Amino acid sequence: MQPFFEDVAIGQELPPVTRRPKLMQMVRWAGASENLHPVHYDPEVIRASGVPDALVHGRLKAAFVTEVVTNWMGTRGTLHKLSIRLLGMDFPNQELVCRGKVIGKPETSGGPVVECEIWLENPQGEVTVRGTAIVSLPHRNGS
Amino acid sequence: MLPQALLTAEIQSSVGVELEPDVIAVEQRMMQRILKSTGDTNPRWGEEVPPAFLLTWMMSGAKMSPRLPPALNWLMSDGELEIVSPFIGLLDGGGEWEFLSPIRLGDIITSTMRITSIRETTGRMGRMLIVTWERVHTNQRGEQVAVSRGTLIGY
């Protein structure tokens, strides 16, 4: 359903996106992004790095949290800006829940602009990705 | 063991250096691979390219730039280049993307990367080099379609 600028309230939560990346999905991302660092898939390098399992790519997690906004903004919304901080490690076969909420409707922008906070929570309850997104939404009157 | 100083004069002189541009033709198979890897099934992404396209575009790939010293080439290749590096590992600190105009299938995107700052600091992993970069993405009509910025941490 298309959200309209007038109907959006500060504090409103966005529908979450849940992912449980398997190693195969991470390898797919490694190929698509040409990020072939072996700590994301090679057991020897993972052991030598002292981490318990393959690391889910930070940018893949960034793509997951971005979907919270792009799914919500509808076909007439536009993503203008995205800021992402990668705060911690995540591992395959864990449920990663991406959430978001509206934190502002900056009047200084001059347009129907909405600011959202987005983040990713792992099963331990840790927030390992946090960011913001700026989107514009259509007005209800069609402008 | 890391050398005495990570931030050598040679590395410091890389601030402001612009790397050789990357040119990518945006084609359907590439988009399908990106969407399949993220699991994004939003029907909007057909002709219009998803933001994940620019999220994938971070490192220089396994390309050695003669404009950078080996340590920075290693960082910028995500450790893929088999060259001597003072670092044990690297971390992606995140980034920022400004989407200025939609990117569509069939576009030819030229992306130019520049090192914007380098500093040395000490954290829980010991001494670290924090490198920030900026990429400007331009389409075949010369229009700036996006700007991305990121942080890499070598330790």
Side-chain angles (χ1 to χ4, degrees):
Chain A
M1 196 171 70
Q2 178 63 57
F4 294 97
F5 179 71
E6 292 79 4
D7 301 334
V8 170
I10 292 172
Q12 177 181 334
E13 293 185 4
L14 313 187
V17 166
T18 301
R19 289 284 192 278
R20 186 188 286 268
K22 294 182 177 176
L23 190 60
M24 184 184 288
Q25 183 174 11
M26 292 154 56
V27 170
R28 281 189 192 282
W29 175 262
S33 65
E34 295 187 58
N35 181 342
L36 297 173
H37 196 292
V39 78
H40 300 296
Y41 55 84
D42 183 329
E44 265 182 46
V45 174
I46 293 162
R47 267 195 302 275
S49 304
V51 289
D53 204 341
L55 300 183
V56 180
H57 299 77
R59 300 284 162 139
L60 178 56
K61 296 189 292 182
F64 294 160
V65 294
T66 304
E67 276 181 57
V68 172
V69 173
T70 53
N71 287 351
W72 170 72
M73 70 187 187
T75 53
R76 293 171 60 197
T78 303
L79 175 63
H80 295 290
K81 191 171 178 180
L82 180 66
S83 300
I84 296 285
R85 284 188 299 141
L86 302 172
L87 304 171
M89 295 184 279
D90 289 298
F91 307 104
N93 305 310
Q94 293 193 325
E95 190 169 271
L96 305 176
V97 182
C98 306
R99 302 183 189 279
K101 69 175 177 185
V102 175
I103 57 169
K105 295 173 85 172
E107 291 173 13
T108 51
S109 66
V113 169
V114 172
E115 184 174 12
C116 302
E117 183 181 13
I118 46 178
W119 67 95
L120 180 148
E121 296 169 3
N122 67 18
Q124 291 74 43
E126 300 161 335
V127 173
T128 57
V129 180
R130 193 179 285 284
T132 56
I134 307 275
V135 300
S136 59
L137 297 174
H139 284 295
R140 192 164 270 288
N141 66 9
S143 64
Chain B
M1 189 163 162
L2 292 176
Q4 282 305 308
L6 289 173
L7 186 53
T8 62
E10 185 188 30
I11 288 178
Q12 184 68 66
S13 69
S14 301
V15 175
V17 166
E18 194 171 280
L19 274 63
E20 300 80 355
D22 291 317
V23 181
I24 287 190
V26 183
E27 47 88 26
Q28 196 161 25
R29 244 179 105 70
M30 175 198 295
M31 280 314 112
Q32 286 169 347
R33 280 198 297 268
I34 290 172
L35 290 171
K36 195 163 186 179
S37 69
T38 60
D40 187 347
T41 57
N42 190 332
R44 175 171 179 160
W45 315 128
E47 279 298 304
E48 186 181 344
V49 163
F53 169 68
L54 289 175
L55 297 185
T56 64
W57 214 338
M58 175 170 70
M59 309 296 187
S60 60
K63 283 189 311 185
M64 175 83 88
S65 171
R67 300 176 190 176
L68 293 180
L72 286 184
N73 264 310
W74 187 85
L75 274 185
M76 291 296 158
S77 74
D78 201 17
E80 195 180 342
L81 284 172
E82 292 183 356
I83 53 179
V84 176
S85 153
F87 304 112
I88 299 163
L90 61 88
L91 293 171
D92 176 8
E96 184 178 286
W97 294 263
E98 288 178 59
F99 305 94
L100 306 174
S101 183
I103 300 174
R104 300 186 185 282
L105 286 182
D107 281 351
I108 296 171
I109 304 296
T110 300
S111 169
T112 307
M113 186 179 194
R114 188 169 61 89
I115 307 290
T116 47
S117 73
I118 306 177
R119 67 186 174 89
E120 185 173 337
T121 187
T122 304
R124 60 190 162 136
M125 288 167 302
R127 278 183 295 121
M128 303 181 289
L129 204 64
I130 299 181
V131 179
T132 64
W133 51 265
E134 179 180 89
R135 273 189 180 275
V136 176
H137 309 271
T138 308
N139 67 15
Q140 66 276 19
R141 294 179 292 280
E143 300 158 345
Q144 221 177 80
V145 290
V147 178
S148 50
R149 302 178 186 88
T151 303
L152 280 173
I153 303 157
Y155 62 91

